Amino acid sequence: MVLDIGLFRGDKGGNPDLVRKSQQNRFASVDLVQEVIDADALLRETRYKWEMKKAELGKLQKEIGMRAKEKKPFDDLKAQKSTLEQEIALLEPQVGALQIDLDKKINKVGNIVHSSVLVSKNEDENPIVRTWGPMEHKTTFLAHYDVLAKIDGYDPERGVKVAGNRGYFLKGAGFRLNQALISYGVDFLMKRGYTPLQTPFFMNKDIMGATAQLEDFDEQLYKVVAHTRHAEDSSSSSSSTTTTSTTTTTNNNNAAGASTAKPAAKGKQAQAAPAPVNDDEEKYLIATSEQPISAMHKDEYFDEGDLPVKYAGYSTCFRKEAGSVRDGRGIFRVHQFEKVEQFTITHPEKSWEMHEEMIKQSEEFYQSLGISYRVVTIVSGALNNAASKKYDLEGWFPAFGGCRELVSCSNCTDYQSRSLNVRLRGKKDDKAEHKYVHMLNSTLCATTRTVSIILETNQTETGVVVPEVLRPYMGGQDFIPWAEKKDTKPKETK
């Protein structure tokens, strides 16, 4: 993910001071901006020398050809040709190395922070935009995990035994609530013009590198390595492939840089030679459907009439939650969960209007469930690199006595589309007229978190009231009674 390199080129109409100010507002490295400027200048200088040498060699080869055709001697030019070829051979890898160095540096620079974002690195100072519903601390209420246990809706002990820390089995009413939220969430967005989309659950390393920031590789993402063994069948000329996958932590500090591919025709992938089969092919499990959806239209362009594109993304999400010790009980913060996501692709001049529309749709969703919440704007120092501005919707947990994050709604402007080379075709054929589209994402429903707040909010002395909008997805069930008390803990064999 990258900013436009033109912003760093003050001598060519760019505005490096804008980038410096944005980095300062993020409480991130301002010196990094000068490092990018210096790396870009050195790359351009070296590339210019390389291109001039190649042009000089071309002229020389043409002169040699003409002399040969006229049967004139050209021994004097052979030495020059040899020298130029050696110089070009030396410069070419330098250009490649300098490009990699520039990509690494510019990938660390965050998106330009929107002017309306409060400059602070303390999330306690997130401005409250609006609130909805009562927010009363009910000290007699049970926490969501206790409610989930009383309806016999999950099995954390066996989940941990099978999957490790934060593992769980959803069952019974817990399972049905989870599935109801998925179905209701997708229907909710379809009625608002969104196309439902189920995404891949893992991505190729280079594609993930173009849409996820470097810190995510260590803090969020699970790496999957497929070890492929080819064995010849003694009775056939065909070969069989055995694949095993191991999920490991990753320490990747070299995510892919900006895409340099040219735009393909709308709706068609750019043609490329088939990639070779690697014995050890690295992939990453997705942390959100935003990641594969953002890459879905890589190397494509849209006409103005195609926009906006609105996707209701559904997927299972996988997050390491590295270093997190919070929420060890229950299903609020887990390594695996389902999510319905809003993802939109817009005209560059209409993304801020779409940003407001998306957060309001998330609000309408939680209003329909009867969940009290507040909407906050995230302060500059807490923004991830891709977001220019981000809203969070935080639901009120009455037993906890506070608000917890349910929704993140971000306008990433052209930060992702530039890396993925997704453009808006202009009125001219000149590539310079093809602007990058803007990409936005917003949670609609992270199901385990929403199940948690429904259980905590709608509990009674005898069970849990099912939100009216979910009842059609639960066979008409309007109430979940407490389960009969029984010993459900694992009984180990001797």
Side-chain angles (χ1 to χ4, degrees):
M1 298 186 289
V2 291
L3 288 175
D4 182 359
I5 189 62
L7 277 173
F8 296 83
R9 296 171 177 170
D11 59 333
K12 293 185 177 293
N15 191 352
D17 286 339
L18 175 67
V19 187
R20 290 188 180 97
K21 182 64 175 176
S22 179
Q23 285 292 99
Q24 182 179 358
N25 289 348
R26 287 179 175 275
F27 298 87
S29 172
V30 176
D31 293 339
L32 184 57
V33 179
Q34 189 60 47
E35 291 179 25
V36 171
I37 293 171
D38 293 342
D40 178 51
L42 182 57
L43 172 61
R44 284 191 288 162
E45 178 185 352
T46 307
R47 180 181 284 131
Y48 178 78
K49 290 179 182 177
W50 180 50
E51 296 290 351
M52 290 300 100
K53 293 292 183 183
K54 290 195 296 180
E56 188 178 346
L57 178 61
K59 290 179 182 179
L60 191 61
Q61 288 174 326
K62 186 176 181 180
E63 177 65 22
I64 290 173
M66 290 178 63
R67 289 195 188 185
K69 186 176 181 180
E70 296 172 359
K71 297 183 179 180
K72 293 181 180 179
F74 53 84
D75 290 346
D76 57 321
L77 302 181
K78 286 183 178 180
Q80 295 180 44
K81 179 175 179 290
S82 177
T83 299
L84 282 171
E85 288 175 337
Q86 291 176 26
E87 291 174 341
I88 290 169
L90 288 172
L91 286 169
E92 184 171 4
Q94 291 180 34
V95 170
L98 290 171
Q99 182 67 63
I100 291 172
D101 181 61
L102 174 60
D103 288 345
K104 285 182 179 179
K105 287 181 168 62
I106 198 171
N107 271 323
K108 295 177 183 178
V109 180
N111 201 352
I112 301 300
V113 177
H114 192 265
S115 59
S116 65
V117 175
L118 176 68
V119 178
S120 171
K121 59 181 177 180
N122 184 355
E123 288 195 79
D124 291 338
E125 298 178 358
N126 289 339
I128 298 174
V129 179
R130 52 187 166 266
T131 63
W132 187 87
M135 297 185 183
E136 179 185 352
H137 187 189
K138 298 185 177 181
T139 56
T140 60
F141 268 33
L142 300 173
H144 86 269
Y145 43 82
D146 289 325
V147 178
L148 197 53
K150 284 179 73 68
I151 63 171
D152 194 23
Y154 85 138
D155 190 332
E157 290 85 3
R158 292 184 177 92
V160 170
K161 179 174 68 175
V162 170
N165 184 38
R166 300 182 191 270
Y168 63 98
F169 285 92
L170 280 182
K171 62 178 183 176
F175 168 81
R176 296 201 71 191
L177 276 172
N178 195 73
Q179 294 300 116
L181 283 167
I182 294 168
S183 297
Y184 173 57
V186 171
D187 284 353
F188 181 91
L189 290 180
M190 286 181 66
K191 291 176 181 178
R192 289 158 176 78
Y194 282 68
T195 300
L197 194 67
Q198 182 167 329
T199 72
F201 287 180
F202 53 79
M203 296 171 64
N204 291 333
K205 176 182 177 181
D206 60 330
I207 303 299
M208 182 65 86
T211 191
Q213 66 187 69
L214 293 176
E215 291 83 353
D216 286 347
F217 279 79
D218 289 327
E219 296 177 5
Q220 286 193 12
L221 303 179
Y222 287 100
K223 182 169 72 173
V224 179
V225 181
H227 301 287
T228 306
R229 176 170 55 84
H230 299 278
E232 293 186 1
D233 188 334
S234 59
S235 62
S236 170
S237 59
S238 62
S239 63
S240 62
T241 302
T242 302
T243 303
T244 60
S245 297
T246 56
T247 303
T248 61
T249 57
T250 178
N251 187 19
N252 186 319
N253 292 316
N254 188 22
S259 169
T260 58
K262 296 180 180 179
K266 178 173 66 70
K268 296 180 180 179
Q269 294 294 333
Q271 296 298 314
V277 177
N278 298 320
D279 286 339
D280 294 309
E281 185 180 15
E282 292 185 12
K283 297 181 184 294
Y284 287 86
L285 294 176
I286 64 172
T288 166
S289 65
E290 169 206 342
Q291 292 163 340
I293 297 175
S294 67
M296 183 178 176
H297 294 286
K298 183 179 184 297
D299 298 327
E300 297 178 22
Y301 66 77
F302 292 91
D303 293 318
E304 285 201 26
D306 299 326
L307 301 177
V309 174
K310 302 195 289 186
Y311 289 123
Y314 162 73
S315 73
T316 299
C317 305
F318 306 88
R319 300 188 182 182
K320 285 163 56 177
E321 299 287 358
S324 176
V325 295
R326 296 181 296 165
D327 307 304
R329 299 178 68 184
I331 58 172
F332 183 84
R333 189 183 303 276
V334 287
H335 294 308
Q336 174 189 324
F337 59 94
E338 282 69 53
K339 182 153 71 85
V340 179
E341 180 88 356
Q342 302 178 67
F343 190 93
T344 62
I345 302 172
T346 74
H347 188 286
E349 295 176 3
K350 297 181 179 179
S351 66
W352 292 109
E353 177 183 338
M354 179 60 75
H355 193 218
E356 297 299 324
E357 179 181 318
M358 291 169 73
I359 187 62
K360 286 181 180 178
Q361 286 177 165
S362 291
E363 290 183 63
E364 290 171 3
F365 179 81
Y366 285 94
Q367 289 175 16
S368 74
L369 293 171
I371 301 301
S372 300
Y373 65 83
R374 68 183 184 188
V375 174
V376 300
T377 306
I378 300 301
V379 293
S380 60
L383 290 172
N384 62 303
N385 275 5
S388 177
K389 181 178 180 178
K390 181 168 75 168
Y391 291 120
D392 273 6
L393 183 151
E394 301 174 340
W396 177 260
F397 283 74
F400 175 73
C403 288
R404 311 293 303 277
E405 178 195 329
L406 299 177
V407 169
S408 286
C409 180
S410 301
N411 188 352
C412 298
T413 64
D414 62 357
Y415 196 77
Q416 292 172 314
S417 59
R418 190 173 298 277
S419 288
L420 295 162
N421 195 31
V422 186
R423 293 175 178 262
L424 171 67
R425 182 161 61 180
K427 297 179 180 179
K428 299 180 182 179
D429 291 333
D430 184 0
K431 183 179 177 181
E433 293 295 321
H434 299 324
K435 299 178 181 179
Y436 290 96
V437 298
H438 281 196
M439 293 183 171
L440 302 90
N441 64 84
S442 176
T443 315
L444 183 76
C445 176
T447 57
T448 51
R449 292 194 174 196
T450 308
V451 167
S452 299
I453 198 168
I454 288 172
L455 295 178
E456 196 161 308
T457 300
N458 288 15
Q459 62 183 281
T460 70
E461 291 183 356
T462 57
V464 177
V465 176
V466 176
E468 186 174 351
V469 293
L470 296 185
R471 294 171 190 175
Y473 302 94
M474 295 186 64
Q477 184 177 6
D478 59 3
F479 188 77
I480 304 169
W482 299 143
E484 294 182 10
K485 291 184 178 181
K486 56 183 178 180
D487 186 7
T488 60
K489 293 185 178 181
K491 299 179 178 65
E492 295 184 1
T493 56
K494 295 183 179 179

